[in-house]
């Protein structure tokens, strides 16, 4: 894992043993190394294809210890459709004012993503391209690139990420 993700063996061990909480950037590196979407990293192993309902009280939330951003898994990650293809992952993110989260290119090489802003403003850097997104704007990410999500406003930004 350390070699594939570019993360030190010591840090991988600290995360595996629960002695350190991973940052969003670290999850992005693990995601790329394992070729799994970040929602799949949070998947409950007891969850099977028949578990298609994600009850509000059972949603998994995670807070990035560095930026304070909160991600909430909206649908049951890893559910399988009738044609045995994995369904889309839907995650709601709340990015606090002034927060910035960077993801490596490797986290996007095996999937496609759509970002839909529900409230506030989002500055999204996709490689060299900057996208300024506002309430109800929706962006389909292009070819894999390093991505930076940033809230440059004084209010929280709430957006949905759909992954397939």
């Amino acid at each position: 894992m350390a070699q594939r993700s570019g993360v030190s063996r010591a840090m991988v061990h600290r995360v595996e043993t629960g002695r350190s909480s991973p940052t969003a950037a670290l999850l992005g590196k693990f995601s790329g190394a394992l070729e799994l979407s970040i929602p799949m990293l949070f998947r409950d192993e007891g969850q099977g294809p028949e578990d298609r309902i994600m009850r509000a009280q059972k949603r998994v939330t995670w807070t990035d210890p560095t930026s304070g951003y909160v991600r909430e898994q909206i649908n049951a990650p890893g559910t399988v459709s009738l044609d045995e293809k994995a369904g889309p992952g839907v995650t709601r993110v709340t990015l606090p004012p002034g927060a910035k989260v960077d993801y490596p290119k490797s986290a996007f090489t095996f999937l496609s993503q759509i970002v839909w802003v529900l409230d506030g403003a989002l500055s999204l850097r996709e490689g060299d391209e900057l996208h300024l997104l506002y309430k109800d704007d929706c962006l389909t990410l292009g070819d894999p690139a390093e991505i930076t999500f940033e809230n440059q406003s004084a209010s929280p930004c709430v957006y949905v990420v759909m992954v397939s």
Side-chain angles (χ1 to χ4, degrees):
M1 173 61 100
Q3 185 177 15
R4 289 181 71 179
S5 66
V7 175
S8 73
R9 288 175 58 122
M11 178 53 83
V12 170
H13 180 71
R14 285 194 299 272
V15 170
E16 286 176 332
T17 59
R19 290 188 290 155
S20 180
S21 181
T23 63
L26 195 59
L27 287 176
K29 290 179 180 182
F30 290 160
S31 168
L34 295 171
E35 294 187 1
L36 293 172
S37 66
I38 291 176
M40 288 298 290
L41 294 177
F42 287 99
R43 182 175 183 215
D44 178 359
E45 285 302 316
Q47 187 172 0
E50 66 282 355
D51 298 320
R52 296 179 295 131
I53 297 176
M54 175 62 82
R55 301 286 180 201
Q57 66 273 19
K58 291 198 172 204
R59 287 189 184 139
V60 176
T61 60
W62 175 80
T63 303
D64 179 42
T66 302
S67 68
Y69 104 91
V70 177
R71 59 180 296 119
E72 179 181 9
Q73 190 61 42
I74 300 302
N75 69 327
T79 55
V80 178
S81 63
L82 292 175
D83 61 1
E84 297 188 9
K85 292 182 180 176
V90 180
T91 304
R92 180 174 40 210
V93 177
T94 302
L95 194 60
K100 178 180 172 183
V101 178
D102 297 310
Y103 285 104
K105 178 181 178 178
S106 63
F108 303 98
T109 58
F110 56 91
L111 49 84
S112 63
Q113 292 194 34
I114 297 172
V115 177
W116 175 26
V117 177
L118 299 179
D119 197 24
L122 179 66
S123 172
L124 191 151
R125 181 165 297 282
E126 181 182 22
D128 294 330
E129 194 172 2
L130 178 63
H131 306 282
L132 299 176
L133 305 172
Y134 304 96
K135 185 175 181 174
D136 281 332
D137 287 346
C138 190
L139 170 69
T140 300
L141 296 181
D143 292 334
E146 291 185 358
I147 304 286
T148 299
F149 294 87
E150 186 172 9
N151 181 355
Q152 298 176 347
S153 76
S155 301
C157 176
V158 179
Y159 59 94
V160 170
V161 178
M162 293 161 275
V163 177
S164 63

